[in-house]
Amino acid sequence: MHNVRRSSGHALRAGHDSLALGVPESVPGTIFALAVTGGIEMRPREGRTILFGRNSDDVHVCVGADDRGVSRQHGVLLCEDNRWWVRNTGRLPIRLPGSRLLFHGEDPVPLTAGYSPLFVRGARNRDHLLEVYVASTAGDRPTARHLDPTQPPRLWRLAPDERAVLTVLGQRYLRHEAHPQPLTWRQTAEALAELFPAAGWTAKRVEHHVVAVRTRLSRDGVAGLTREEVGEPVGNALNDNLLRELMLSTTLIPPDLALLDHP
């Protein structure tokens, strides 16, 4: 065992079950960190650290062993103020849950209790998974529910005109185009006018419907749908966030594109 691993932690073997399946009975605050080569379990104590990166001799968890885009010591998990944090010490960013990027030199980010997948960026757009689990109770392994009814996603109610507008506005997303962007108000209105010549579609009317849906979803807790949250310049961010939420919730799905052929 390498010198850096002589700590108060316990090694996790390569091939260990994914931490997404939960962890065994543990002291609250115990952290588990796992990559394909193995990992470590460590109880919380002020000042304790877990190093991860490419050089197995210098880290507790080896990540991206064959990828020179990963730094030899790419990051650290540290216990401070009775919680665990992640800091980037490498050249390339670490992608955190919620698609947040953590760069070298930025303040450490606190880890929430439970499961957190971290993706270490490497060369040629490779991403290397580092699974992290912070135990919150004495037993965090979830109960198997093989026969329970599937919990449906939260579908957002859309009026017929709203669905038509959003299908046209987000057609590039529904087609799974690379790097999609919403259509403009004018482009959406022109497409709707071709589909429904007698409906009197205008750019202003399109904007009114989309803003109404954004406002409604924002009030129900969907993030990233207001200028105050996103900040200036806004660009297409508000509509991009709206369309992604509608697709993730399956409120809008690719078969909705049939509207463009058969209004």
Side-chain angles (χ1 to χ4, degrees), residues 155-205:
L155 296 175
W156 300 104
R157 183 174 298 177
L158 299 176
D161 279 356
E162 293 172 340
R163 181 171 294 277
V165 168
L166 290 162
T167 299
V168 174
L169 181 79
Q171 59 186 275
R172 294 169 179 164
Y173 297 76
L174 294 169
R175 292 193 181 104
H176 297 293
E177 294 184 10
H179 314 298
Q181 288 293 311
L183 269 61
T184 65
W185 303 136
R186 180 179 59 80
Q187 290 171 326
T188 304
E190 289 174 352
L192 288 167
E194 290 185 14
L195 294 169
F196 308 101
W201 283 103
T202 65
K204 199 67 178 176
R205 184 179 172 195

Side-chain angles (χ1 to χ4, degrees), residues 196-215:
F196 308 101
W201 283 103
T202 65
K204 199 67 178 176
R205 184 179 172 195
V206 167
E207 180 180 6
H208 171 78
H209 280 299
V210 175
V211 170
V213 175
R214 284 204 315 248
T215 301

Side-chain angles (χ1 to χ4, degrees), residues 51-245:
L51 304 175
F52 59 91
R54 173 166 49 91
N55 188 358
S56 60
D57 289 339
D58 293 332
V59 296
H60 299 91
V61 185
C62 181
V63 179
D66 64 342
D67 187 343
R68 290 194 299 169
V70 177
S71 296
R72 285 169 288 185
Q73 287 189 6
H74 203 103
V76 58
L77 308 173
L78 57 154
C79 186
E80 290 182 356
D81 300 326
N82 296 316
R83 68 186 309 178
W84 287 95
W85 305 70
V86 56
R87 172 184 284 132
N88 186 341
T89 58
R91 289 179 177 271
L92 293 177
I94 300 170
R95 191 168 79 250
L96 309 180
S99 296
R100 175 175 179 177
L101 295 178
L102 178 62
F103 290 88
H104 177 87
E106 289 189 317
D107 290 339
V109 173
L111 293 165
T112 59
Y115 180 72
S116 297
L118 311 182
F119 292 91
V120 178
R121 193 67 162 175
R124 299 182 300 279
N125 296 325
R126 292 179 65 187
D127 284 322
H128 303 274
L129 174 61
L130 175 66
E131 296 185 280
V132 177
Y133 200 114
V134 179
S136 59
T137 61
D140 270 3
R141 186 171 294 277
T143 302
R145 298 182 174 181
H146 303 298
L147 301 179
D148 282 9
T150 301
Q151 181 175 330
R154 180 173 185 177
L155 296 175
W156 300 104
R157 183 174 298 177
L158 299 176
D161 279 356
E162 293 172 340
R163 181 171 294 277
V165 168
L166 290 162
T167 299
V168 174
L169 181 79
Q171 59 186 275
R172 294 169 179 164
Y173 297 76
L174 294 169
R175 292 193 181 104
H176 297 293
E177 294 184 10
H179 314 298
Q181 288 293 311
L183 269 61
T184 65
W185 303 136
R186 180 179 59 80
Q187 290 171 326
T188 304
E190 289 174 352
L192 288 167
E194 290 185 14
L195 294 169
F196 308 101
W201 283 103
T202 65
K204 199 67 178 176
R205 184 179 172 195
V206 167
E207 180 180 6
H208 171 78
H209 280 299
V210 175
V211 170
V213 175
R214 284 204 315 248
T215 301
R216 196 162 69 239
L217 269 61
S218 178
R219 288 173 179 167
D220 279 343
V222 179
L225 300 183
T226 66
R227 287 181 174 271
E228 291 73 21
E229 294 173 285
V230 172
E232 299 292 346
V234 172
N236 285 331
L238 301 182
N239 286 344
D240 178 78
N241 292 339
L242 172 64
L243 291 166
R244 293 185 186 279
E245 167 60 27

